[in-house]
Each structure stands twice: as C-alpha cells, then as structure tokens.
Amino acid sequence: MQFAAEKLIPATLIAGDGIGPEIVEATLMVLDALRAPFAWEMHKAGMSAMEAFGDPLPESTLDSIRRTRLALKGPLTTPAGGGYRSSTVRLREEFNLYANVRPARTLVPGGRYEGVDLVLVRENLEGYYVGFEHYIPIGDDPHAVAIGSGVNTRAGCRRIAEFAFDYALSNGRKKVTIVHKANILKALSGLFLETAREVAKRYEDRLQVDERIVDACAMQLVLDPRQFDVIVTTNLFGDILSDEIAGLVGGLGMAPGANIGVDATIFEAVHGSAPDIAGKGVANPLGLLLAATMMLDHIDRSELAHQLRKAIDQALNEDKVRTGDLGGTASTKEFAQAIVGRLKQ
Ligand code: NAD
C-alpha cells in the first residue's frame, strides 16, 4: 500500500460552482476506475469559497497549487458587472499561466461537421483581460463613459507564438494560423502580428504559416473548420473563438482547456458554471473529462489518456450514452458510469 501511495502525484482539485461539483464527481469516478495516479488535495475557489471564507480565492487554495503545481478545476462563478474579479483570471495571473490550449475534435459523428480536429492556443494574461478599466461620470450619471485599455508586450507575444509553434511541432500538427485584428487595433494587435510573424520565420521550414483577421477567421471556421489546424491568437479573440470551435464539435459541454505556465498547470473545462442546469444532474462532464486526459498526457501517462479517450468514444458512439446537450437522455452520473463500464472491460 505504501509503495502505491508513494507513486501518486499530488494535485489540487477545485470542485467549483454551479455544475462544478457534479462534473467533478463524475470525473473522479472515471479517474478512480482508470487508476489515475493523482493524490488529490481538495480546495475551494469562486462563489463557494466566497460563501465559506469570504474570499473567492483563499490563500489555502493558492498554497496548495504552489505546492502541487498541478490542478484540475471546475468552473467558477463570477458576478457580472460589479462584485469580485474572476478567480479564474486571477489564478492565471497568480501562476503565470500564459498559454491556454483549447482543442476541439469531432467526437460524435453526424453533427454539423465531420472530422474537425483543431487546437486553439490563446494568450492568457495580456490584451483586454488585464482589467485596466474605469468609468468617467458626467452630471448625475456615474457610468456615462467607460474606458478600457488592453496591454500586449513583445515578450508576451513572442512567448505565446513560440509556445504555439513548438506545440504544433511536438504534436505532429502541420499548420499554424496567426489570428489578429491589426488592420484596426494597429498597436495592440499590430504588435502581436509583427512578433508572431518574426517567430514564424524560424519555423517556416517545418510548418505552414497562415494569417487571418479575426472576423474573417470566425466566418471561415463556420464555413469550413477543417482548413484550420493550430490557431494562435490574443486573449479576447481566443476566448471568443474557443467557444465557437466548441460549437463546431457539439457545444461547450465537450470542450477542454489547459492553462500552462511557468509556475503551474491548471486543467479545466472551457464552459462556465451553467447556473441554468446546476443541481439537476444533467450536465455533460466531457469537458472536464477531456481536460483530465490532457492532464494525464501532461504527467507523461499518455497510455492512460489513450485508454480514457477510447472509453469515452465507446460510451458515446457504441453504447450511445449521451447527455441532453448531445441529444441523449443520460444523466451526468449515467454517462460517467457508461465510461467506467467500458474501462472495466
Ligand atoms: P456557461 O458556459 O456556464 O453556460 C452557457 C450555456 O452552456 C448554458 O446554457 C449552459 O447550460 C450550457 N452548458 C455549459 N456547460 C455545460 C455542460 N457541461 N453540459 C451541458 N450544458 C452546458 O456560461 P455562462 O452562463 O455565460 O456563465 C455562467 C458563469 O460561469 C458566470 O459566472 C461566468 O463568469 C462563469 N464562467 C466561468 C468559467 C471558468 O471558470 N473557466 C468560464 C466561463 C464562464
């Protein structure tokens, strides 16, 4: 017993808000069946931490991630407008999680598109998400004018471009598309384009390089997603396009993401806490499960990741067990049980 315990890898687990605890429970059930080698440290963040400790990002949660440098997190609720700043964004800043990797692959044939297999690499710390915003009051209207500034640095642009090109090479990808809006945001997006082009020159002998303006890219993704392979872009555009690519393969319920950085790596589903379906036991746990497969790849246990991807495919396509968002009738738990059933065969 002691020998097995020594081989476990400490990792922080944040159940999160809304559907978070439901999809985390389903994911843990599957990871247990897979005998995934994680020793979980359970911590809170978001609204549930706010309610329990009066702090949406408690020091105990941060300390755990500082120790483990590895986390799996459920979605965290952020009040719109006023209230506290997004704990997800703060976690990215705290641990320098500069690269957000969001893959989208067709898992259920017969949808709008077949054979989609693309990866979006999003800069995670700069751009419009730095939160440099304020209002200017006029007369009796305190919100008469809103001003927001974006910040891109050459170092940040270079780092994300290099990450995307290296990721493409090490994952057998063929093409990287640089997505920008440098025709209008000449400095902010222009610096990103200029720097990404410089980086691209070093990879041109090994990878195809392509460029798109973000609005055209959004349209072309809908027309023919298979023309894209790896997309690299800035924070806001990446946030929007990654939801779009999730929609191409069946919706937010099946989109995973990795936040990769200098000080830690945090895996999560792309979707939020889905308050409209929270507590009903119907959420699709696939986003978080696929994030767990990325986490297994990250700790060099790709054979387990492969086993899990195969069991997911069998549950979806041979057993035809699917949650409501995919047109099925299975509950979160029933879907997880179908995957566990396949893992045990
Ligand atoms: P959302 O992603 O929570 O939900 C959008 C729609 O997709 C809803 O109709 C929801 O029911 C559906 N959906 C999402 N995940 C699903 C799943 N696993 N299975 C089935 N359907 C699913 O987006 P929202 O409603 O805009 O945001 C809700 C809250 O989540 C907000 O407080 C927001 O700030 C937060 N949020 C957190 C993260 C994160 O923690 N990474 C990401 C996005 C949004």
Side-chain angles (χ1 to χ4, degrees):
M1 279 306 280
Q2 205 180 349
F3 178 69
E6 276 165 10
K7 288 172 73 179
L8 294 181
I9 296 170
T12 306
L13 184 69
I14 298 170
D17 302 316
I19 58 170
E22 300 161 49
I23 58 173
V24 163
E25 191 187 343
T27 301
L28 285 185
M29 187 199 291
V30 171
L31 289 178
D32 278 352
L34 188 66
R35 295 177 182 275
F38 298 113
W40 298 110
E41 295 186 8
M42 316 283 256
H43 285 276
K44 285 186 191 296
M47 195 64 91
S48 62
M50 189 71 191
E51 283 160 9
F53 310 114
D55 181 353
L57 200 51
E59 208 45 40
S60 52
T61 304
L62 293 172
D63 275 345
S64 171
I65 303 174
R66 279 183 199 119
R67 257 192 325 271
T68 62
R69 299 167 61 91
L70 184 65
L72 182 65
K73 72 171 264 295
L76 309 179
T77 296
T78 309
Y84 55 83
R85 200 158 168 254
S86 161
S87 305
T88 300
V89 172
R90 281 180 57 204
L91 275 172
R92 290 172 186 157
E93 290 169 353
E94 177 73 28
F95 294 102
N96 253 311
L97 306 175
Y98 66 90
N100 191 192
V101 178
R102 294 182 163 183
R105 192 164 58 88
T106 303
L107 290 179
V108 182
R112 280 196 193 92
Y113 305 96
E114 298 293 343
V116 176
D117 181 9
L118 55 93
V119 179
L120 188 133
V121 176
R122 161 191 174 196
E123 201 293 320
N124 223 8
L125 298 175
E126 301 194 330
Y128 283 119
Y129 283 45
V130 293
F132 290 176
E133 341 183 75
H134 62 277
Y135 292 107
I136 299 177
I138 297 179
D140 59 0
D141 182 357
H143 289 180
V145 180
I147 296 188
S149 305
V151 175
N152 282 340
T153 63
R154 188 182 295 285
C157 295
R158 187 181 295 128
R159 182 162 70 166
I160 195 65
E162 284 172 347
F163 179 93
F165 282 98
D166 287 338
Y167 176 94
L169 279 183
S170 55
N171 287 277
R173 299 274 167 176
K174 304 275 179 284
K175 182 164 87 170
V176 176
T177 303
I178 301 164
V179 175
H180 63 91
K181 187 75 187 174
N183 51 328
I184 303 296
L185 302 170
K186 291 186 191 291
L188 192 68
S189 200
L191 178 62
F192 171 72
L193 178 61
E194 179 187 312
T195 313
R197 277 178 179 165
E198 279 165 21
V199 171
K201 280 199 193 106
R202 288 191 259 129
Y203 294 83
E204 268 170 355
D205 54 335
R206 289 160 292 165
L207 290 165
Q208 284 178 56
V209 182
D210 197 11
E211 287 173 12
R212 296 292 155 87
I213 293 174
V214 63
D215 37 347
C217 178
M219 183 271 295
Q220 286 160 353
L221 274 166
V222 172
L223 281 185
D224 178 15
R226 288 192 302 177
Q227 65 187 290
F228 294 97
D229 192 356
V230 173
I231 292 174
V232 61
T233 191
T234 44
N235 207 338
L236 175 62
F237 300 155
D239 198 4
I240 297 167
L241 291 182
S242 59
D243 272 33
E244 184 183 352
I245 64 173
L248 302 174
V249 296
L252 272 179
M254 35 216 304
N259 297 283
I260 300 173
V262 179
D263 305 323
T265 306
I266 301 183
F267 296 85
E268 63 182 347
V270 169
H271 61 73
S273 54
D276 52 335
I277 56 168
K280 296 183 178 160
V282 297
N284 186 349
L286 257 179
L288 198 66
L289 276 166
L290 293 170
T293 66
M294 296 174 82
M295 192 166 170
L296 288 164
D297 281 328
H298 176 78
I299 60 157
D300 287 329
R301 296 300 303 270
S302 294
E303 81 289 358
L304 290 179
H306 176 74
Q307 225 179 311
L308 178 50
R309 286 191 184 100
K310 190 170 158 203
I312 288 172
D313 180 54
Q314 289 170 323
L316 281 172
N317 295 314
E318 291 176 36
D319 307 335
K320 307 243 184 265
V321 180
R322 297 173 188 170
T323 45
D325 57 316
L326 299 179
T329 55
S331 66
T332 310
K333 199 169 175 181
E334 284 162 351
F335 180 59
Q337 281 165 339
I339 299 170
V340 168
R342 283 296 184 166
L343 285 172
K344 288 192 169 155
Q345 277 177 5

